[in-house]
Amino acid sequence: METGVTCYARGAFLPTSVSSSQHSTALVSPSSISPSFSSKSLKSSSLFGESLRVVPRSSLKVSRTKNSSLVTRCEIGDSLEEFLTKATPDKGLIRLMMCMGEALRTIAFKVRTASCGGTACVNSFGDEQLAVDMVANQLLFEALTYSHFCKYACSEEVPELQDMGGPVEGGFSVAFDPLDGSSIVDTNFTVGTIFGVWPGDKLTGVTGRDQVAAAMGIYGPRTTYVLALKDIPGTHEFLLLDEGKWQHVKDTTEIGEGKLFSPGNLRATFDNPAYDKLINYYVREKYTLRYTGGMVPDVNQIIVKEKGIFTNVISPSSKAKLRLLFEVAPLGFLVEKAGGYSSDGTHSVLDKVIKELDERTQVAYGSKNEIIRFEETLYGSSRLKGGVPVGAAV
């Protein structure tokens, strides 16, 4: 039987035709994926609300136009596919971002319907399931495999490079945190997915500024897909509609000043006097405290509200726990493309070379003046007063 196929379940994207026998072979996970990943593999139909229809790798061609001008303007109200088609000429990147959007849609459903006690989750029939963060992890690996444009991927749950079978030339490598804040799912707090996309086959020896795209999925009262692409300015929010489609609802191109703070790792104030001084400043100046304990919603509010600061600072007794590759660099890309700034205390986090997959760092995200205050308070001076180009000039 001949049938049209597509990377994602709704719409018609990169159509072609395959026989039913090709479907069965295309769904097999690549043999190069490590045993630690493949041993946990689940049927795609059990993970996605609708089975992914897979395009054979041989039918996909890289389309990357250098120095092309985008003549069609992205608009509020566009679907995700319409937006991406206008935003970049790179068909491989479009396909990858669409496949990740489909995974986020399904993760949102899994998060909403999981009944969790600790890390053990059961469905409505009482059947034992994977912990929700491992379900998210599996969904994202499968989406990247089905995109056919991901060469390597790794996650916080599987912190080793996994070969997804995509090309090196014209392909991408992706790092992700499948469910940031998974420990607060049972309290019904907002949680999210974070991922960064790098060109080629390298996830070490690169910087956050080398990313071609980054995004986060936010699972709260609304489900949103917030993304940024190197090809166009701004950070863009897509809302998941009732019918399962992503709709472009907001652009953010400037982070202004405003008294909103989200302070992480407050235990560091015990033996980091500079951080204690900074927190006392926020309180004394009557900043509004907005902190959930989930990095995704706490950083996302800076983009949505277009103001504020998020901090997570270290001290002699409280070491860095945020991972540069999986969390800090992708979120830094989103904030800086939105017109904000990031800092590890002395530099933009996008300029830090990722030396190893598990590298960790302290971080602050926010408006220009807030990052200047952060750097000056902790280290006595700020690079932003020295004319160094940062922020929106990603």
Side-chain angles (χ1 to χ4, degrees), residues 227-239:
L227 61 85
L229 305 175
K230 193 166 189 176
D231 288 342
I232 62 168
T235 295
H236 308 273
E237 180 182 89
F238 293 81
L239 176 67

Side-chain angles (χ1 to χ4, degrees), residues 209-358:
R209 210 170 292 282
D210 295 325
Q211 291 173 99
V212 294
M216 54 183 167
I218 301 132
Y219 319 119
R222 305 186 308 151
T223 298
T224 55
Y225 184 10
V226 177
L227 61 85
L229 305 175
K230 193 166 189 176
D231 288 342
I232 62 168
T235 295
H236 308 273
E237 180 182 89
F238 293 81
L239 176 67
L240 184 62
L241 303 179
D242 287 342
E243 60 267 32
K245 296 180 180 179
W246 295 105
Q247 184 176 62
H248 189 202
V249 295
K250 180 176 172 60
D251 294 325
T252 303
T253 57
E254 182 178 0
I255 305 296
E257 304 305 324
K259 293 185 175 183
L260 182 73
F261 78 122
S262 185
N265 199 26
L266 284 176
R267 63 174 61 89
T269 60
F270 173 74
D271 54 350
N272 185 334
Y275 192 32
D276 185 56
K277 179 181 178 181
L278 182 64
I279 297 301
N280 285 331
Y281 172 86
Y282 297 145
V283 175
R284 185 173 64 252
E285 295 298 318
K286 296 181 171 55
Y287 277 51
T288 298
L289 174 63
R290 289 289 182 269
Y291 180 70
T292 72
M295 191 176 184
V296 166
D298 291 337
V299 174
N300 185 54
Q301 72 176 341
I302 296 173
I303 297 171
V304 172
K305 300 293 188 181
E306 301 181 4
K307 64 180 180 180
I309 184 166
F310 169 89
T311 58
N312 192 293
V313 176
I314 61 174
S315 74
S317 65
S318 186
K319 306 303 182 183
K321 65 176 185 176
L322 298 179
R323 292 169 173 84
L324 179 59
L325 176 64
F326 302 109
E327 301 164 304
V328 174
L331 292 180
F333 190 86
L334 289 169
V335 170
E336 294 203 16
K337 289 292 287 188
Y341 296 77
S342 70
S343 177
D344 68 349
T346 57
H347 302 91
S348 165
V349 298
L350 296 186
D351 294 325
K352 293 175 70 71
V353 176
I354 301 167
K355 299 175 183 177
E356 55 187 39
L357 299 179
D358 195 45

Side-chain angles (χ1 to χ4, degrees), residues 92-100 144 147 150 172 174 197:
L93 182 59
I94 293 172
R95 183 177 173 82
L96 187 147
M97 298 300 286
M98 291 296 298
C99 286
M100 292 297 272
L144 291 170
S147 78
C150 180
F172 306 94
V174 180
V197 183

Side-chain angles (χ1 to χ4, degrees), residues 44-333:
S44 62
S45 59
S46 70
L47 290 175
F48 290 86
E50 303 172 37
S51 297
L52 281 181
R53 290 165 280 166
V54 183
V55 178
R57 192 172 288 109
S58 61
S59 70
L60 300 177
K61 296 181 179 180
V62 176
S63 175
R64 191 188 300 273
T65 305
K66 296 182 179 180
N67 301 320
S68 64
S69 60
L70 301 175
V71 297
T72 308
R73 182 179 178 83
C74 300
E75 297 177 347
I76 299 298
D78 282 346
S79 69
L80 178 61
E81 181 184 353
E82 289 169 338
F83 171 88
L84 291 170
T85 302
K86 294 175 183 178
T88 176
D90 191 328
K91 302 300 184 185
L93 182 59
I94 293 172
R95 183 177 173 82
L96 187 147
M97 298 300 286
M98 291 296 298
C99 286
M100 292 297 272
E102 185 68 10
L104 299 183
R105 182 173 72 92
T106 309
I107 293 169
F109 173 78
K110 296 295 182 180
V111 170
R112 286 198 310 273
T113 57
S115 175
C116 301
T119 58
C121 297
V122 295
N123 63 19
S124 58
F125 300 104
D127 301 322
E128 185 176 353
Q129 295 178 309
L130 293 173
V132 67
D133 53 347
M134 292 307 296
V135 173
N137 191 68
Q138 183 71 26
L139 279 162
L140 293 163
F141 273 122
E142 288 194 353
L144 291 170
T145 301
Y146 299 149
S147 78
H148 298 317
F149 279 94
C150 180
K151 175 56 180 173
Y152 289 116
C154 65
S155 78
E156 280 201 340
E157 301 297 334
V158 185
E160 303 166 351
L161 289 183
Q162 310 294 316
D163 193 335
M164 299 287 98
V168 174
E169 182 66 30
F172 306 94
S173 292
V174 180
F176 59 89
D177 183 347
L179 200 62
D180 184 73
S182 57
S183 63
I184 57 176
V185 168
D186 55 352
T187 64
N188 210 21
F189 283 16
T190 295
V191 295
T193 297
I194 305 167
F195 69 90
V197 183
W198 279 263
D201 61 348
K202 304 294 184 184
L203 287 174
T204 55
V206 296
T207 70
R209 210 170 292 282
D210 295 325
Q211 291 173 99
V212 294
M216 54 183 167
I218 301 132
Y219 319 119
R222 305 186 308 151
T223 298
T224 55
Y225 184 10
V226 177
L227 61 85
L229 305 175
K230 193 166 189 176
D231 288 342
I232 62 168
T235 295
H236 308 273
E237 180 182 89
F238 293 81
L239 176 67
L240 184 62
L241 303 179
D242 287 342
E243 60 267 32
K245 296 180 180 179
W246 295 105
Q247 184 176 62
H248 189 202
V249 295
K250 180 176 172 60
D251 294 325
T252 303
T253 57
E254 182 178 0
I255 305 296
E257 304 305 324
K259 293 185 175 183
L260 182 73
F261 78 122
S262 185
N265 199 26
L266 284 176
R267 63 174 61 89
T269 60
F270 173 74
D271 54 350
N272 185 334
Y275 192 32
D276 185 56
K277 179 181 178 181
L278 182 64
I279 297 301
N280 285 331
Y281 172 86
Y282 297 145
V283 175
R284 185 173 64 252
E285 295 298 318
K286 296 181 171 55
Y287 277 51
T288 298
L289 174 63
R290 289 289 182 269
Y291 180 70
T292 72
M295 191 176 184
V296 166
D298 291 337
V299 174
N300 185 54
Q301 72 176 341
I302 296 173
I303 297 171
V304 172
K305 300 293 188 181
E306 301 181 4
K307 64 180 180 180
I309 184 166
F310 169 89
T311 58
N312 192 293
V313 176
I314 61 174
S315 74
S317 65
S318 186
K319 306 303 182 183
K321 65 176 185 176
L322 298 179
R323 292 169 173 84
L324 179 59
L325 176 64
F326 302 109
E327 301 164 304
V328 174
L331 292 180
F333 190 86

